Amino acid sequence: MKYKVEYLDPEDLRKLQLDRLRNKALQVYNNVSYYRDAFDRARIKPDDLQTLDDLRILPLTDKETLRAYYPFGMFAVPMSLIKEIHGSSGTTGKPTVVAYTDNDIKVWSEVMARSIACTGGTYLDIIQNAYGYGLFTGGLGVHYGSLELGSAVVPLSSGGSKRQLQLMQDFKTTILTCTPSYSIYLAEYAESLGIDPHETSIRIGILGAEPWSDAMRKQIEAVWNIKAYDIYGLSEIIGPGVAVECEGQDGLHVWADHFLPEIIDPETGKPVPEGQDGMLVITTLTKEATPFLRYATKDIVSMTTGKCPACGRTMPRISRIKGRTDDMLIIRGINVFPSQIESVLLEIEETEPHYQLVVTREGALDELEVQVEVDEKFFSDEIKVLESLEKRIKREIESLLSIAVKVKLVEPRTITRSEGKAKRVIDNRQI
Ligand code: DLL
């Protein structure tokens, strides 16, 4: 299946984008107080957006904005039109909230169907979907895309590796969708059970939600004997399906008829020249429930325009995600901000606000250890007391983050103090 829009002449694409941008600007101006204020402060009206570049006069929106308007203050339509609500990690205890109308789900299904098709998937494929179903957008995003494309989706969600392998063999699934690190873990687990990953019917991996490298791609392709493609997205924009690789495996095509990309210098806010690294900023051109103008993804990429030599699509390509401008970590596909952990620790009387997060990759899976100093008053040699405190902290953090963590209590004044910014994170993963 080929979506013609993916091959639009660049001039026609710009016209379509401008037309959609002007409509969207009017919608948010009329319905979202945050954007009305932003336009008023810039002393412009939506109608003054005469070119795509005119957008730059508006400020960036980010997770902090969403936090300030938690939970529904950024909605641009009445609740009666909202059909689904998702969330992503906020910087502290509360998630960022995003919503979908009927049409938003249609667009999401379309961009995900296009993404699966872009990697070579068709209606004949059986998709083993091992992204988590829930508030996280990975599971349902792939699910909707598969329905739209006409392939068969097996909604396994994340985890349950034994069952994943059993059904993979019995159902002869042909596409695996999960995080890249889980795909490696699953292959290793298969081998440990005496199952040869080469003997399965998997032919394509559509992998994302966390950073990975070309070296990891080679490893995954070799261990499974498949083609592994990078898929990118974020809840605030729609979920997975913002950008994906084609057979060229040289950059991810951004579905720019729905998501208008800009690459800016995160320090100055100025656009960076083509091919240079900067922060990806996205404007949703068609989203109805939670449309965002100039959403700061905090992801560092470079962008290339022009017809793709491999597939002929004219949609711009972004590089792999090269890093972040903030301190967000992704542990087993789940976004974690040190400030979230801090907010838990500050509530616990027995600990000091001195902590460090140590991230390692054990085999293919990420481990997060939270080391925290115990208050002198409470520090006791009684192992039982310390163990129960450790367990309590672990429980609290795990219930906020939904991932397993290790907690290690350390003696007062043992975590290295810094004279400047505290070094909260030691990331020992080699990705
Ligand atoms: O991770 C959506 C998604 C699901 C994408 C399944 C791909 C596959 P969030 O939980 O909101 O949404 O996290 C978004 O994850 O800003 C990036 O920092 C990171 N991320 C997503 N895809 C990739 C990728 C989903 N392919 C945040 N490579 C983004 C590197 C990625 N980082």
Side-chain angles (χ1 to χ4, degrees), residues 24 27 31 72 75-85 98-106 287-290:
K24 204 40 53 190
Q27 185 208 359
N31 296 290
F72 299 156
F75 286 14
V77 299
M79 192 48 103
S80 56
L81 296 179
I82 304 278
K83 293 297 154 69
E84 195 164 318
I85 300 178
V98 291
Y100 302 77
T101 62
D102 262 339
N103 196 59
D104 291 337
I105 305 268
K106 276 201 193 108
K287 192 92 195 292
E288 290 178 344
T290 41

Side-chain angles (χ1 to χ4, degrees), residues 371-415:
Q371 301 178 347
V372 59
E373 286 184 11
V374 179
D375 187 307
E376 196 111 46
K377 284 202 295 288
F378 296 99
F379 197 77
S380 131
D381 283 330
E382 236 190 275
I383 291 188
K384 259 203 214 137
V385 177
L386 289 178
E387 270 180 2
S388 102
L389 175 60
E390 230 167 54
K391 278 200 190 122
R392 177 150 64 95
I393 298 174
K394 181 173 157 68
R395 230 183 8 250
E396 302 261 326
I397 296 177
E398 288 181 349
S399 87
L400 177 68
L401 301 180
S402 310
I403 47 160
V405 298
K406 281 190 198 157
V407 172
K408 184 170 163 197
L409 299 178
V410 298
E411 289 185 37
R413 287 180 302 280
T414 48
I415 288 182

Side-chain angles (χ1 to χ4, degrees), residues 88 131 136-138 207-212 230-236 239-240 297 299 321 324 328 330 335:
S88 170
Y131 285 118
F136 176 60
T137 50
L207 315 174
E210 66 180 12
W212 54 313
D230 195 0
I231 183 164
Y232 169 78
L234 58 164
S235 320
E236 290 85 350
T297 66
D299 290 316
I321 309 302
R324 302 247 330 151
M328 186 178 91
I330 305 187
N335 304 346

Side-chain angles (χ1 to χ4, degrees), residues 87-162:
S88 170
S89 306
T91 45
T92 54
K94 292 191 175 137
T96 54
V97 179
V98 291
Y100 302 77
T101 62
D102 262 339
N103 196 59
D104 291 337
I105 305 268
K106 276 201 193 108
V107 170
W108 195 13
S109 307
E110 181 201 304
V111 291
M112 271 309 300
R114 282 163 57 176
S115 300
I116 300 167
C118 192
T119 68
T122 74
Y123 67 97
L124 295 172
D125 279 294
I126 306 177
I127 300 182
Q128 175 148 356
N129 188 12
Y131 285 118
Y133 281 65
L135 267 193
F136 176 60
T137 50
L140 281 163
V142 169
H143 193 98
Y144 291 143
S146 175
L147 295 182
E148 171 69 20
L149 186 65
S151 40
V153 62
V154 188
L156 273 159
S157 198
S158 49
S161 306
K162 205 164 188 174

